[in-house]
Amino acid sequence: MRKLFLSAALVTGISAPAMAETIHVGVNGLVCAFCVTGIENSLKKIPAIESVKVDLDNKLVTITTKPDKTLDDKTITETITDAGYNVTNIHHKK
Amino acid sequence: MQMNDGFENSLMLSYSPTAKDAIGLRTDYMRNDDVLLNTLTYNRLLKRWNQPESQGNLFLLTGLGAAEGNGNIDPAATLGIEADWETRRIYFSYENRLIGSSAIDDSFSQKFRTGFAPYVADYDAVHTWLMVQIDHRPSHDDEITVTPFIRLFNTEVLGELGISSKKDVMFNVTFQF
């Protein structure tokens, strides 16, 4: 019985950690840092999102989800469009 | 937002329920007329042009309220248009404002702004712009005022400081939450 518990503990211990998803979103209109905060604030209201990073140089918004959470393209596009910007492309990376 | 220049002192509080709409309260003390103008404002983004390297906007600016001066309180309405276009390096804007009130002679004003960023800053850094504002107030003897100013901002606070051709200090600050 003790071996069984030990085996179960080992299996649990070595199971794959919960994966977060990184999503790169190309956005048009990213020129003014003072104005772009609207995108960051809107995205951060979505419960599945852990962090948001804006890169003005590459016109990218990088979203990291919480572990085991995903985000569909429709939600991302709607949120960024409602914030007043245009999404050009979306790439998901686990 | 607080704005102070040679013509007026203004305080604005606004809330944007959507990216296209902003409602707010605005108080202007108009020095030339010695009038306090209090308005409930509604501003609407009519059109936005998002491009990879630039953004342009067209806004409708409206207000309804009262003008208080010389012991009288008169109804007042304001109407204006603002247009801007900017990249991370250059900026242009035009804004006008028409005030309908018997208490205010200084009823029409317009301003043009342009500027450039001497360096391109990252999103989280402090951004610096060197700018100039040209005010045109047809009801004034000296209709044109030129104000060079510096604009500094990060993601939360935007400040502007300048001195006009009439030696008046311009100081504007905007906080966003």
Side-chain angles (χ1 to χ4, degrees):
Chain A
M1 183 60 90
R2 185 179 292 173
K3 276 184 180 171
L4 184 62
F5 282 139
L6 186 59
S7 302
L10 282 173
V11 168
T12 306
I14 61 170
S15 65
M19 292 290 285
E21 187 179 24
T22 301
I23 307 164
H24 298 290
V25 187
V27 180
N28 272 354
L30 293 184
V31 293
C32 166
F34 192 67
C35 318
V36 167
T37 51
I39 291 180
E40 191 178 2
N41 294 337
S42 298
L43 287 168
K44 282 182 173 173
K45 288 178 186 167
I46 298 173
I49 292 179
E50 178 73 37
S51 67
V52 177
K53 189 173 184 302
V54 177
D55 179 351
L56 297 178
D57 288 337
N58 296 303
K59 300 147 196 82
L60 270 183
V61 174
T62 301
I63 300 165
T64 305
T65 65
K66 289 177 179 167
D68 277 343
K69 299 285 184 185
T70 58
L71 207 57
D72 60 86
D73 290 2
K74 185 170 177 281
T75 303
I76 295 167
T77 303
E78 277 180 3
T79 304
I80 292 177
T81 303
D82 287 347
Y85 294 82
N86 297 121
V87 171
T88 56
N89 58 74
I90 301 175
H91 295 294
H92 294 255
K93 204 166 95 180
K94 275 282 185 188
Chain B
M1 176 191 286
Q2 188 186 52
M3 299 197 300
N4 305 280
D5 59 26
F7 308 104
E8 57 204 42
N9 305 98
S10 304
L11 181 66
M12 285 161 268
L13 293 172
S14 71
Y15 169 69
S16 299
T18 75
K20 290 190 171 181
D21 305 285
I23 52 174
L25 293 170
R26 175 170 178 162
T27 295
D28 300 281
Y29 173 62
M30 314 191 77
R31 214 169 285 131
N32 204 43
D33 293 299
D34 192 22
V35 166
L36 192 64
L37 176 66
N38 294 305
T39 50
L40 179 65
T41 61
Y42 170 69
N43 300 334
R44 171 83 179 169
L45 173 64
L46 298 175
K47 178 73 179 167
R48 172 168 284 176
W49 295 268
N50 285 315
Q51 298 296 321
E53 304 289 346
S54 69
Q55 185 184 76
N57 297 289
L58 181 65
F59 295 93
L60 174 70
L61 315 172
T62 67
L64 270 179
E68 185 181 347
N70 303 317
N72 297 319
I73 298 178
D74 296 294
T78 65
L79 184 65
I81 289 285
E82 181 187 337
D84 64 62
W85 182 84
E86 64 187 296
T87 70
R88 294 179 70 196
R89 278 286 192 185
I90 54 173
Y91 177 93
F92 298 95
S93 74
Y94 169 79
E95 180 182 339
N96 62 28
R97 189 184 191 205
L98 182 65
I99 304 172
S101 172
S102 57
I104 297 170
D105 295 329
D106 193 8
S107 60
F108 180 75
S109 61
Q110 56 186 344
K111 67 181 175 189
F112 171 74
R113 293 178 140 203
T114 186
F116 74 97
Y119 62 93
V120 173
D122 290 336
Y123 176 66
D124 293 325
V126 173
H127 296 241
T128 303
W129 286 74
L130 302 176
M131 303 184 69
V132 64
Q133 174 174 313
I134 300 169
D135 287 276
H136 177 229
R137 298 196 176 222
S139 62
H140 284 226
D141 293 336
D142 196 0
E143 290 184 10
I144 304 286
T145 306
V146 179
T147 309
F149 64 99
I150 184 168
R151 169 189 275 185
L152 299 169
F153 64 87
N154 62 11
T155 55
E156 294 168 344
V157 185
L158 183 151
E160 296 173 340
L161 181 65
I163 297 178
S164 78
S165 51
K166 294 176 184 167
K167 311 295 180 204
D168 291 312
V169 173
M170 182 185 87
F171 174 65
N172 304 324
V173 62
T174 304
F175 300 94
Q176 65 177 355
F177 307 98

